[in-house]
C-alpha cells in the first residue's frame, strides 16, 4: 500500500494516460527479454483520479521493471483495480512468473520497509522529518 502524503503535488490524472506512459517503458523492456507483458484495467474504475502522477508512475515502473528483471520466461501482468478496502481508490497489482522472493527475504523486506517508514515521517504531522 502506498500513500502519498504531500498533497501539494497531486493533480487530476487520466488513467488512460498513466497506463500508456507506463506501458511504453514496460513493453520495451519486456520485448528485449522476449516475455509477455499484460495490462488489465478494471472497467469499473473511473477514467480520472487525483494523485501525484510522477510518483505513482515511478512506483509502477519500479515494481514492474523488477518483475521483468527476475522473469526469464512467461509473463508480467499489471492489474489496475478498484481497491476492495477503500472505495474510490486505485489498487495496482504486479504479478509475474519470475523466480519470486523467498519467505525469509520477504520477512526482511517487510521489516526494513517498516523501519524506513518509521524514520521517514513524523507520525503526528505526517510530514517528512
Amino acid at each position: 500500500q502506498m500513500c502519498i502524503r504531500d498533497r501539494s503535488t497531486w493533480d487530476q490524472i487520466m488513467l488512460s494516460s498513466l497506463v500508456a506512459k507506463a506501458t511504453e517503458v514496460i513493453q520495451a523492456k519486456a520485448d528485449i527479454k522476449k516475455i509477455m507483458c499484460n495490462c488489465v484495467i478494471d472497467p469499473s474504475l473511473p477514467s480520472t483520479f487525483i494523485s501525484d502522477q510522477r510518483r505513482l508512475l515511478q512506483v509502477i515502473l519500479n515494481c514492474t521493471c523488477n518483475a521483468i528483471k527476475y522473469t526469464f520466461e512467461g509473463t508480467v501482468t499489471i492489474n489496475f483495480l478498484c481497491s476492495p478496502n477503500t472505495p474510490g481508490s486505485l489498487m495496482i497489482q504486479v504479478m509475474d512468473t519470475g523466480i519470486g522472493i523467498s519467505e525469509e527475504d520477504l520477512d526482511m523486506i517487510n521489516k526494513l520497509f517498516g523501519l524506513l517508514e518509521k524514520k521517514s515521517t513524523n507520525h503526528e504531522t505526517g510530514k517528512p522529518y
Side-chain angles (χ1 to χ4, degrees), residues 2-68:
M2 178 185 87
C3 179
I4 301 171
R5 295 173 195 234
D6 178 8
R7 294 182 182 206
S8 66
T9 59
W10 287 24
D11 203 357
Q12 187 168 348
I13 299 171
M14 291 193 61
L15 182 60
S16 60
S17 174
L18 177 71
V19 171
K21 287 177 184 180
T23 304
E24 183 180 346
V25 174
I26 293 161
Q27 191 62 57
K29 291 185 178 295
D31 287 348
I32 290 168
K33 291 193 70 176
K34 296 182 175 37
I35 59 174
M36 287 190 60
C37 186
N38 300 315
C39 183
V40 180
I41 302 171
D42 183 339
S44 67
L45 279 171
S47 61
T48 61
F49 57 97
I50 305 294
S51 186
D52 182 324
Q53 181 167 337
R54 184 182 60 80
R55 289 181 180 167
L56 185 55
L57 183 60
Q58 180 182 0
V59 169
I60 293 167
L61 292 177
N62 287 349
C63 293
T64 309
C65 288
N66 267 351
I68 291 169

Side-chain angles (χ1 to χ4, degrees), residues 33-38 63-64 66-78 94-101:
K33 291 193 70 176
K34 296 182 175 37
I35 59 174
M36 287 190 60
C37 186
N38 300 315
C63 293
T64 309
N66 267 351
I68 291 169
K69 181 178 180 179
Y70 294 105
T71 300
F72 301 104
E73 60 182 32
T75 61
V76 171
T77 302
I78 312 162
V94 178
M95 297 171 30
D96 63 68
T97 57
I99 60 175
I101 301 173

